[in-house]
Amino acid sequence: DSSHGGICCRAGKEGLSLPLFCVPAVPVLFKQALENTDMEEGKSISLRCELTKADATVVWKKGETMLQASAKYEMKQKGTVAELVIHNAEPEDA
């Protein structure tokens, strides 16, 4: 059962059932959080953060709205570094 967010296994010999042991997943934390960044209207701006686990799933949000990759928003991730590039920045992107 992987509903606990960990790795589980059942050990035992044929005809002998042993308890199910689960090892909890290590939570992904920020090694370097987002920092406030000045922007110049009409230019591209890059926001980046670093995580404690490589290739972890990253979701970018503005308020409660999840951002989707588009001509405006470019999401990159390499190892533990996640980056959001906002193209043609506008005051509404603050």
Side-chain angles (χ1 to χ4, degrees):
D1 179 10
S2 60
S3 63
H4 302 292
I7 299 170
C8 300
C9 64
R10 186 181 299 277
K13 295 181 180 179
E14 200 170 311
L16 175 63
S17 180
L18 296 177
L20 179 67
F21 295 98
C22 292
V23 179
V26 177
V28 179
L29 304 171
F30 286 106
K31 281 175 73 174
Q32 179 186 346
L34 287 175
E35 295 178 359
N36 288 337
T37 306
D38 291 331
M39 65 171 225
E40 190 176 338
E41 193 171 349
K43 302 285 186 180
S44 293
I45 185 169
S46 174
L47 304 172
R48 63 177 63 185
C49 60
E50 189 174 357
L51 310 166
T52 56
K53 184 177 177 183
D55 302 318
T57 301
V58 173
V59 176
W60 292 93
K61 290 184 173 184
K62 181 181 176 191
E64 294 300 314
T65 305
M66 187 170 13
L67 302 179
Q68 302 291 333
S70 64
K72 175 126 182 122
Y73 300 114
E74 181 181 359
M75 288 88 167
K76 302 177 184 180
Q77 191 167 354
K78 185 173 183 181
T80 58
V81 177
E83 181 179 14
L84 171 67
V85 180
I86 302 173
H87 297 287
N88 192 25
E90 303 169 291
E92 297 81 41
D93 293 318

